[in-house]
Amino acid sequence: MRILLVGAGGVGGYLAGKLLKCKKDVSLMLTPKTEEVVRKNGFRIIDVDEEFTVYPNLDINGIYDVVFVTTKYYHLDNAIEKIKPFINEKSIIIPILNGVAHFEKFKKLNAKTLKACIYILSNKKAPGVIHKKTPLFYLCIEDNEKIRKVFERCDLKVKYSKNIDEDIWKKYLFISTFATLQSYYKKPTGWIMEEKRDEAEKFLDEVIKIAKEFGIDLKNEKEKVIKQALNIPYESKMSMQIDFENNQPTEIETLTGFLAEKSEFINNFYKNLKKSKSCDTIRIQH
C-alpha cells in the first residue's frame, strides 16, 4: 500500500517516522530545504524513550492509496492543490488538522475522505528532526478496513471511531480553549489553570454550547478537560502560542475565529488577538 504524507511537522513527521519504522511504504512531500537535509541525513525521530532515523521515499510519483494531510490550516489550500495529481477515486485522504471546519475543503476532491484527530505533544526541532516531548499519542480515525491495514503491526495507539465527529469536538474543546487563552495571556497551561481557571471554565462552557448547535453533546467532557489540563506539564504550550511567540502565521481562524462568530465571550479574545501582526488573514469559508 502506497502512503503519501504532506506536512511532516511535529504531528505528521512523527506519524510518518513510526510508519516507516514498521516497514510501511511512506513517501514524504517536503519543502526543498527539508528535503535536502533528509536526503543527506535521513529523517530523525526523538521520542521519549528512543531515537531513530528512517529514510522515506522523497520522489513523489503515481497514485497513492492513502494520503495523510497534516499541515497547519493556513497551508491547507496549497497542500490540497499539491496532492491532486497523486490521487484518484480509489484513494483515501486523511486530514489531521486542528479544528472542525477544514473537512469542507476536501469535498470537491475525487477521492474518499476520512475524518481524524490526534493527541500528541511533538514539534519540529530542526529540518528533518522531530521531537516528541511526552508519551502521549492517541489517534482517532473513522473506521475503515484499508486504514486498519496501514497501522497493522505498528506500535501506535489508534482508535477506529464509530462517532468521529464527537471525538473531533472533544479534542477541539480542549485545544481551542487553551490555545486561545495561552496566546492571549502569553502563558502556559499551568499558569492558566492557576490564575485564570474561571475564564477557562467559561470558555469551555461556550464551546460546549456551540457544539450542541452542531448536534454534539459534550456536557460530560468539561471535568475531563479540566483534569487533563491539571495533569499535563505546567509549561506546556499549544502550537498557536508558540507561533505567536515566533511571529509566525497562526491558526487563530480555525481555533478561535470559528467560535468567535457564535460567542461574544470568545469574540473578545479573538478581536484582541487579531491585533497581533502574526495573525494570518485566512477566513474559514462556511
Side-chain angles (χ1 to χ4, degrees):
M1 189 180 302
R2 305 185 74 222
I3 301 167
L4 175 64
L5 188 138
V6 185
V11 173
Y14 181 80
L15 179 60
K18 293 291 281 188
L19 290 173
L20 283 159
K21 190 182 179 188
C22 59
K23 310 302 182 185
K24 303 297 181 177
D25 180 7
V26 181
S27 299
L28 296 186
M29 187 178 287
L30 304 173
T31 62
K33 179 180 178 180
T34 301
E35 181 176 330
E36 181 180 357
V37 172
V38 174
R39 285 189 184 278
K40 181 179 179 181
N41 303 323
F43 197 75
R44 184 180 172 208
I45 305 296
I46 305 172
D47 210 336
V48 176
D49 55 359
E50 65 174 344
E51 295 186 23
F52 59 91
T53 300
V54 291
Y55 298 87
N57 180 16
L58 302 178
D59 298 316
I60 312 302
N61 59 78
I63 299 298
Y64 289 86
D65 299 293
V66 176
V67 180
F68 289 97
V69 179
T70 57
T71 63
K72 294 292 184 70
Y73 181 80
Y74 46 82
H75 289 148
L76 182 54
D77 289 338
N78 187 43
I80 289 174
E81 288 302 312
K82 285 184 175 181
I83 67 173
K84 283 181 177 179
F86 307 109
I87 60 173
N88 63 18
E89 68 280 359
K90 295 182 180 180
S91 301
I92 294 178
I93 303 173
I94 304 170
I96 307 178
L97 288 81
N98 293 324
V100 296
H102 54 272
F103 298 105
E104 292 294 320
K105 290 180 175 288
F106 292 87
K107 287 186 174 181
K108 295 181 181 180
L109 294 180
N110 183 32
K112 181 180 180 65
T113 300
L114 296 182
K115 295 181 179 180
C117 66
I118 195 168
Y119 294 83
I120 186 173
L121 289 172
S122 181
N123 71 289
K124 183 171 73 173
K125 188 174 183 179
V129 181
I130 303 300
H131 181 200
K132 181 165 168 281
K133 300 178 180 180
T134 75
L136 176 65
F137 180 96
Y138 184 50
L139 175 63
C140 298
I141 189 167
E142 279 188 84
D143 199 3
N144 178 276
E145 184 177 350
K146 183 183 288 189
I147 299 308
R148 284 181 177 262
K149 292 180 180 178
V150 168
F151 293 102
E152 277 182 350
R153 299 182 300 278
C154 285
D155 182 25
L156 290 169
K157 186 176 181 181
V158 181
K159 173 187 176 182
Y160 300 101
S161 178
K162 301 297 185 182
N163 193 349
I164 191 63
D165 289 321
E166 181 177 295
D167 287 325
I168 290 169
W169 270 93
K170 285 178 181 178
K171 181 190 176 182
Y172 190 51
L173 177 64
F174 180 91
I175 194 171
S176 62
T177 299
F178 289 98
T180 302
L181 294 178
Q182 286 176 5
S183 301
Y184 183 81
Y185 288 109
K186 303 178 183 179
K187 297 290 185 179
T189 305
W191 185 92
I192 298 296
M193 292 307 294
E194 281 185 352
E195 304 295 333
K196 299 294 178 181
R197 179 165 173 167
D198 57 336
E199 290 186 12
E201 292 202 25
K202 172 65 173 174
F203 202 112
L204 291 169
D205 289 337
E206 292 293 295
V207 180
I208 290 169
K209 187 188 306 181
I210 294 167
K212 189 70 174 177
E213 296 177 14
F214 288 86
I216 306 296
D217 186 0
L218 299 179
K219 65 177 180 294
N220 295 325
E221 297 301 313
K222 180 178 176 179
E223 292 305 317
K224 295 178 185 178
V225 169
I226 292 171
K227 182 178 180 180
Q228 182 182 356
L230 290 170
N231 287 337
I232 63 176
Y234 185 95
E235 294 294 332
S236 295
K237 296 179 181 180
M238 300 292 164
S239 61
M240 189 165 91
Q241 182 188 1
I242 295 171
D243 287 339
F244 267 102
E245 291 174 348
N246 294 332
N247 199 30
Q248 296 296 314
T250 75
E251 293 187 291
I252 188 174
E253 296 300 341
T254 187
L255 292 179
T256 314
F258 177 77
L259 298 167
E261 295 178 1
K262 300 168 176 58
S263 165
E264 188 56 38
F265 175 79
I266 295 175
N267 192 40
N268 288 330
F269 292 102
Y270 173 71
K271 288 187 295 185
N272 282 285
L273 283 169
K274 281 290 288 183
K275 294 177 183 178
S276 169
K277 64 181 179 180
S278 63
C279 293
D280 83 282
T281 57
I282 302 172
R283 295 294 299 178
I284 293 176
Q285 300 300 314
H286 297 290

